[in-house]
Amino acid sequence: MLHPVPASTRAKSRHASEGLVIFGGTGDLALRMLFPSLYFLEDEGLLPPDLRIIGTARSDLEDAAFAAQVKSAVQTRAGDDFSDETWARFAPRLRYAAVDVQDAAAFSRLGEVLEARRAIFYLSTSPALFGAVCQNLQVAGLVRDDSRVVVEKPIGRDLKSCQAINDTLASIFTEDRIFRVDHYLGKEAVQNLLALRFANTLFEPLWNKASIDHVQITVAETVGVEGRWSYYDDYGALRDMVQNHLLQLLSLVAMEPPASLDPDSVRNEKIKVLQSLRPITGRDVERNTARGQYIAGVADGRSAPGYADESGGDSSETETFVALLAHVDNWRWAGTPFYLRTGKRLPARSSEIVIQFREVPHSIFGGVDLMANRLTIRLQPEEEISLALMNKTPSLEHNGMTLKPLSLNLSLSHAFKDERPRRIAYERLLLEVLHDNQTLFVRRDEQETAWRWIDAIRHGWDHKSTKPSPYPAGTWGPSSAFALIERHAHSWCE
Ligand code: NAD
């Protein structure tokens, strides 16, 4: 657990029967992530003993047929870690209720299966259905003071639509009962960022503009949009990735030490970072942003179609790549560039945060090139932390020293061999929901502040006649992304 659960909450989870209702229970997210995560929590004995898990979707399914779907999905995910014994404990929790969320009458069926349990409603459906779900839950009398709701991104496609969804949620649930998921916050390496910064004295005195030259945050995917073209085309990389994942990572890197790990202490500090982001407007939109769209190329050793080819012929100006220069205008960071970039069909699947320290103020090593220290926090494919340091090459030169940068590597999978590698981020998130802990969930003001910043960039793009620049699949984005960073005498770490 992220932090000790208050005694009152522990008591509640021990005594009240709970029901986790997954709307969209036959969908991709539920079958690929949510049910396998719940299964793994069962495996580790972390589910409340009386928790009932209810899948809902439109199709008519018997409980047994639904359980068979879930089992197959869990087996696919768990592979050799699948245990018949764990499944035998998990399966009896599962129920299915056919509910078309647009049909108010259908919710009585859900009430019957829930049997007056304290409910967690997980909305794993399109946000277009959130309003109908909330309204019909209320009409059916299924929302109690202690009910909670979990919502998935995207919460809107701009500030206005985000506010509308948040208003709907707020009309039924209080903010302390709303859990907005950004699954990056469930990743071990992201939580480890808090440990790295605040459980060690080493970095904090250096964690500022005096010692850090710049920060890079990259989330690179090798996949294209594939079957999700119609969803993606409405969003693009800025809305789909930067508004949530990249800005969350930036907030955790740049925030002040929170007073404690409790939800509001952490989220109060994160929002101050978002509020300090300098708006990118006017000429800065051109100078400080780059956007691209992949064209046919070679990715993962195979020829890959371009974005427009995947649409079935429609042309589109949606960006599949974005790079940004952001400034956090506060005392700690004034003048320190934060470079963000994300894209599809890039050469590697990797997510990492690079903290680039400044160069030594004076070198005593003659003409030897000294590489400035660099701390890399890798989130995927492997979770690891490395610190690049200059070292002497062992040798007997009589004429000065030969130096070489070497890495101090902390591989989390090696250091914690007994832990199951590659945990699903949703395991942590579902556990935190069950324990009523919102630290790893996004508060309304955080989300809306992020949208305000993103909207300004979008607005700037919409007023330019420029389009996303093409980049071949399998490359690191358009040349404008390189120009953006090189203009400040920096380069992307690859
Ligand atoms: P999906 O299309 O695979 O599944 C949608 C589910 O909703 C299905 O079970 C479908 O039966 C159900 N549904 C649709 N209309 C319904 C109705 N009228 N009444 C009742 N049920 C209905 O979608 P998904 O990929 O599972 O995504 C679900 C949500 O999670 C979306 O908001 C998506 O943006 C978000 N999300 C998905 C992923 C992912 O990896 N799939 C990642 C992040 C966020």
Side-chain angles (χ1 to χ4, degrees):
M1 222 170 314
L2 195 67
H3 75 126
V5 173
S8 58
T9 310
R10 271 202 306 270
K12 245 187 275 168
S13 10
R14 238 189 350 254
H15 297 306
S17 306
E18 295 189 290
L20 171 60
V21 180
I22 302 185
F23 287 95
T26 56
D28 176 69
L29 181 72
L31 292 175
R32 233 168 20 88
M33 299 289 175
L34 304 182
F35 287 112
S37 296
L38 289 163
Y39 166 87
F40 284 127
L41 292 178
E42 177 80 84
D43 195 49
E44 299 198 26
L46 294 172
L47 292 182
D50 51 7
L51 178 74
R52 178 169 289 178
I53 301 169
I54 305 161
T56 84
R58 271 178 304 194
S59 27
D60 266 326
L61 280 177
E62 294 297 324
D63 283 345
F66 175 66
Q69 262 191 44
V70 172
K71 184 175 185 184
S72 156
V74 169
Q75 281 173 318
T76 304
R77 181 75 201 209
D80 291 344
D81 289 331
F82 184 84
S83 141
D84 288 324
E85 195 197 315
T86 304
W87 179 257
R89 290 202 310 273
F90 185 66
R93 298 179 182 277
L94 293 174
R95 299 284 189 287
Y96 180 80
V99 178
D100 182 332
V101 299
Q102 318 266 22
D103 173 10
F107 280 69
S108 60
R109 246 189 324 270
L110 179 57
E112 286 159 23
V113 184
L114 200 50
E115 286 180 334
R117 287 175 160 75
R118 159 176 137 96
I120 299 167
F121 300 110
Y122 198 121
L123 310 193
S124 179
T125 63
S126 152
L129 299 176
F130 288 0
V133 177
C134 288
Q135 204 179 3
N136 288 330
L137 280 174
Q138 198 173 43
V139 170
L142 297 178
V143 180
R144 306 191 327 204
D145 285 351
D146 58 1
S147 308
R148 284 151 288 170
V149 66
V150 187
V151 285
E152 272 293 338
K153 76 159 203 186
I155 305 286
R157 62 189 296 284
D158 54 18
L159 176 61
K160 199 164 159 237
S161 50
C162 170
Q163 284 170 330
I165 294 173
N166 279 331
D167 285 346
T168 303
L169 295 171
S171 68
I172 316 260
F173 299 94
T174 50
E175 180 63 27
D176 63 336
R177 301 276 170 207
I178 303 173
F179 291 74
R180 296 182 191 81
V181 173
D182 183 321
H183 75 272
Y184 268 52
L185 297 181
K187 288 179 185 282
E188 282 293 334
V190 174
Q191 290 153 53
N192 202 24
L193 189 54
L194 292 175
L196 185 76
R197 286 195 59 194
F198 305 124
N200 297 292
T201 50
L202 189 63
F203 292 115
E204 201 46 33
L206 306 177
W207 210 261
N208 54 52
K209 63 181 188 313
S211 305
I212 294 178
D213 183 65
H214 71 275
V215 175
Q216 297 186 20
I217 302 177
T218 296
V219 176
E221 298 178 281
T222 50
V223 292
V225 286
E226 283 137 15
R228 293 171 70 231
W229 200 91
S230 57
Y231 157 77
Y232 191 86
D233 198 55
D234 208 22
Y235 284 81
L238 184 70
R239 292 183 173 114
D240 190 49
M241 298 296 287
V242 182
Q243 187 274 340
N244 36 66
H245 307 322
L246 278 87
L247 288 186
Q248 283 294 324
L249 296 179
L250 185 152
S251 305
L252 290 169
V253 169
M255 73 179 185
E256 296 299 315
S260 72
L261 269 185
D262 75 59
D264 278 334
S265 294
V266 173
R267 297 185 303 175
N268 288 346
E269 296 307 334
K270 284 198 295 165
I271 194 171
K272 284 185 212 160
V273 174
L274 296 171
Q275 287 165 339
S276 305
L277 280 175
R278 187 186 303 167
I280 301 182
T281 55
R283 286 200 55 218
D284 283 346
V285 175
E286 238 161 307
R287 272 196 302 245
N288 294 348
T289 74
R291 54 184 169 145
Q293 189 186 86
Y294 60 84
I295 54 174
V298 177
D300 274 344
R302 271 178 285 161
S303 62
Y307 179 75
D309 309 323
E310 287 177 316
S311 74
D314 291 349
S315 70
S316 159
E317 291 184 10
T318 297
E319 78 288 354
T320 59
F321 175 97
V322 59
L324 296 173
L325 164 56
H327 288 283
V328 180
D329 285 339
N330 63 18
W331 275 49
R332 188 186 279 262
W333 296 114
T336 311
F338 283 76
Y339 298 103
L340 313 184
R341 99 185 137 153
T342 182
K344 291 194 176 291
R345 288 264 190 252
L346 300 185
R349 174 174 169 263
S350 78
S351 300
E352 61 182 33
I353 300 167
V354 174
I355 312 291
Q356 180 63 62
F357 288 92
R358 290 193 185 280
E359 291 181 352
V360 294
H362 167 71
S363 172
I364 60 168
F365 299 99
V368 178
D369 273 345
L370 297 183
M371 197 185 107
N373 299 137
R374 175 183 291 173
L375 177 70
T376 304
I377 301 150
R378 193 157 295 132
L379 315 179
Q380 56 191 27
E382 297 300 331
E383 296 181 354
E384 50 189 29
I385 296 170
S386 66
L387 178 63
L389 299 168
M390 288 306 295
N391 282 267
K392 179 185 176 303
T393 308
S395 64
L396 289 175
E397 306 107 302
H398 56 279
N399 209 355
M401 285 190 203
T402 309
L403 302 182
K404 192 177 167 188
L406 288 181
S407 256
L408 274 180
N409 276 356
L410 178 63
S411 157
L412 301 184
S413 52
H414 274 95
F416 301 104
K417 280 200 195 79
D418 294 340
E419 290 291 320
R420 184 161 48 80
R422 297 198 190 88
R423 258 180 209 291
I424 310 174
Y426 286 91
E427 292 175 50
R428 158 67 58 199
L429 297 175
L430 285 160
L431 191 60
E432 298 298 317
V433 176
L434 288 168
H435 286 290
D436 258 349
N437 181 5
Q438 291 187 304
T439 303
L440 298 180
F441 297 86
V442 183
R443 209 168 59 190
R444 176 174 184 163
D445 52 355
E446 254 183 284
Q447 196 176 50
E448 294 183 1
T449 305
W451 270 122
R452 196 167 287 117
W453 191 74
I454 292 293
D455 278 1
I457 299 171
R458 199 62 255 179
H459 184 74
W461 285 352
D462 290 345
H463 279 76
K464 303 270 171 246
S465 49
T466 52
K467 296 180 181 165
S469 314
Y471 63 94
T475 65
W476 282 106
S479 56
S480 50
F482 294 90
L484 181 150
I485 195 166
E486 283 162 10
R487 211 174 295 134
H488 301 273
H490 296 135
S491 54
W492 295 109
C493 300
E494 270 150 29

